[in-house]
Amino acid sequence: AQRHSQQDSHIQYERVGADVTMKCGSMDWDAAVTWTANGTDIDDSHLNGSYLILKNVDLTQSGQYSCYEGSSWHLKYQTNLRVGVPPKEPVLMCRSNNYPKGFYCSWHLPSPTYIPNSFNISVIHGTREMVCEKDIFPKNRCHIRYLQLFSTVKYKVTLTVTNALGKNSTTLTFDEFAIVKPDPPESVVAKPVPNNPRRLEVSWQNPSSWPDPESFPLKFFLRYRPLILDQWQHVELSDGTSHTITDAYAGKEYIIQVAAKDNDIGTWSDWSVAVHATPWTEEPKHLTTEIQIIGETLTQHKPLALRGPGYGDPSAGGVW
Amino acid sequence: LGAGQSIQKTYDLTRYLEHQLRTLAGTYLNYLGPPFNEPDFNPPRLARAERLPSATVDLDLWRGLTDNARLAANYRAYSRLLKYLRGLDSQVGTVELRHRLGHFCSSLQGLVLSIAGVMSSLGYPLPAGPAGPPPSSGTPAAPNDFLKKMDDFWLLKELQTWLWRSAKDFNRLKKKVPPAVVTLRIEARGF
């Protein structure tokens, strides 16, 4: 017989481990019915009369449950069962990587809930509530614009997470200066210095997210070490965005990173992307002379057409 | 000392004071005891605390300050904060803390003089007197010990915030006042 399904199904949320009883709509307890889960008939062991009994549900039992009247196969009841858990206390982090424009807060749940959650964030500064503008990407993040600077009053940020099974929240209280942390420096470049076997020239740029390096200058921390050693060497630089390393081991490949901090307040950024460089080394002399001899011999036996600037012509600096 | 060096010296002194205050404030708040020494202590700012010169300023307004207005604001603030701080200095129980507060007050006095030096090197008159009522007048003494401690808490916090602001103020001035040009101007005025 044709099953008729015209009922609007609704969503039913249940906790993991719960016992769930579903009635077949308005059907009597003793009516003859058939229950399906995602279209598959459920055997009678789960039925108590026309009621469906699900004990100690788990995540795998989420799905669409339908109840049909025994003889007419009319759909009498349908629900989408979503098994999940209430939210745990969310993890909230606020940071100002674009001081003095403002700060952003981002959050995540320490463990999944398997059902939809909604987040609400409130930012209080003294007696004033501030708007936290949601970022399109990443999702769980919003940003607040500073209206005033150099405030002695702390900011209080409360994040509340709610789903059908429960609610939880967390609060952060902080001073304006405590959360200032720039992004790492960008475009880090390290180059050997010709004729200087112990030097490396390192340059970088302010993080592009730092809006006003003129008024709010950054200082930098450079760390470098030869790949063959574990011990870093450090140097702090309060002016400029370049530095020449003068004590590099000759001929050894180096790994170099840079971090940034506001000159006066806040904390250091994470380390930049690492770059590698090896100091300049002198061309080994004996090899050069042999190469020159071979070059000259070859040139004598070649047809004239092949001889041109830069091709085997030593004066052009060509090695062959 | 040219204006540029004078500003740099004032900036360095501000950084030194900010660093000093961080440890001094920690010690003092421990002396005051809980809840004042708890990191998350976030008391409402009572009306009493409003008499302190506030470092809080609208960002665009702060950016738009003239050099003279910027320096004058610093000069007035530290002149008044110094008076309050000296009030603290005499009552503190422990000798060691009293000594450190005394030393800090002397350094803060040095900052006030340093700012005055920058202003005169740039040809700006010193503000006639600190804006707002003198510290003690019109405001009754704290009616109880807790409110007295609350006053001290906000004084130290305001001072810390001013030092952060001043670092930015003097950094901005450093960029805007190249030493050479100013020296020339001074000579032209027959100093």
Side-chain angles (χ1 to χ4, degrees), chain A residues 99-101 146-156 173 175 177 212-217 219 262-265, chain B residues 11 15 18 22 39-42 45 54-59 62-63 154 157-158 161 164-165 167-168 171-172 175:
Chain A
Y99 190 80
K101 252 189 188 169
Y146 280 131
L147 303 176
Q148 292 184 314
L149 276 196
F150 313 118
S151 171
T152 51
V153 177
K154 289 180 187 265
Y155 288 82
K156 184 175 177 184
T173 306
D175 277 313
F177 308 106
D212 186 1
E214 268 296 300
S215 295
F216 298 86
K219 63 182 177 183
D262 176 273
N263 223 21
D264 310 303
I265 54 178
Chain B
Y11 172 79
R15 296 295 310 281
E18 191 270 321
R22 228 179 295 164
D40 281 346
F41 182 53
N42 187 24
R45 196 167 163 126
S54 172
T56 305
V57 61
D58 173 83
L59 174 56
W62 176 77
R63 277 209 172 96
W154 280 113
K157 183 138 196 194
E158 198 63 63
T161 308
W164 276 322
R165 168 173 163 171
K168 299 304 176 192
N171 180 70
R172 207 174 166 82
K175 301 256 162 83

Side-chain angles (χ1 to χ4, degrees), chain B:
Chain B
L1 204 60
Q5 291 94 333
S6 184
I7 292 170
Q8 179 65 53
K9 197 192 78 162
T10 308
Y11 172 79
D12 294 338
L13 182 51
T14 304
R15 296 295 310 281
Y16 166 75
L17 281 167
E18 191 270 321
H19 186 71
Q20 288 293 313
L21 184 60
R22 228 179 295 164
T23 51
L24 175 61
T27 310
Y28 191 86
L29 292 178
N30 283 333
Y31 163 73
L32 294 181
F36 299 94
N37 57 354
E38 287 156 8
D40 281 346
F41 182 53
N42 187 24
R45 196 167 163 126
L46 306 178
R48 304 175 54 78
E50 294 315 323
R51 58 197 170 127
L52 294 170
S54 172
T56 305
V57 61
D58 173 83
L59 174 56
D60 295 330
L61 188 102
W62 176 77
R63 277 209 172 96
L65 285 174
T66 63
D67 296 350
N68 186 9
R70 193 178 299 279
L71 286 161
N74 275 268
Y75 181 83
R76 280 200 203 93
Y78 289 118
S79 303
R80 297 191 63 212
L81 290 167
L82 183 54
K83 286 192 170 81
Y84 286 114
L85 207 61
R86 285 200 168 117
L88 217 63
D89 174 9
S90 55
Q91 303 146 21
V92 169
T94 72
V95 174
E96 192 259 342
L97 197 44
R98 223 177 14 252
H99 173 71
R100 286 177 61 190
L101 266 170
H103 175 68
F104 187 85
C105 283
S106 312
S107 305
L108 194 57
Q109 175 68 55
L111 178 60
V112 173
L113 296 174
S114 193
I115 296 169
V118 172
M119 294 188 79
S120 67
S121 69
L122 290 173
Y124 299 138
L126 286 186
S136 53
S137 82
T139 319
N144 60 55
D145 189 49
F146 183 83
L147 284 182
K148 169 69 184 69
K149 291 182 176 180
M150 190 74 100
D151 287 351
D152 297 351
F153 171 85
W154 280 113
L155 170 60
L156 293 173
K157 183 138 196 194
E158 198 63 63
L159 183 51
Q160 178 92 70
T161 308
W162 263 105
L163 289 168
W164 276 322
R165 168 173 163 171
S166 299
K168 299 304 176 192
D169 282 323
F170 298 128
N171 180 70
R172 207 174 166 82
L173 287 165
K174 271 195 306 182
K175 301 256 162 83
K176 288 179 66 181
V177 180
V181 167
V182 171
T183 317
L184 197 68
R185 203 164 82 201
I186 287 177
E187 278 155 20
R189 297 169 65 127
F191 279 87

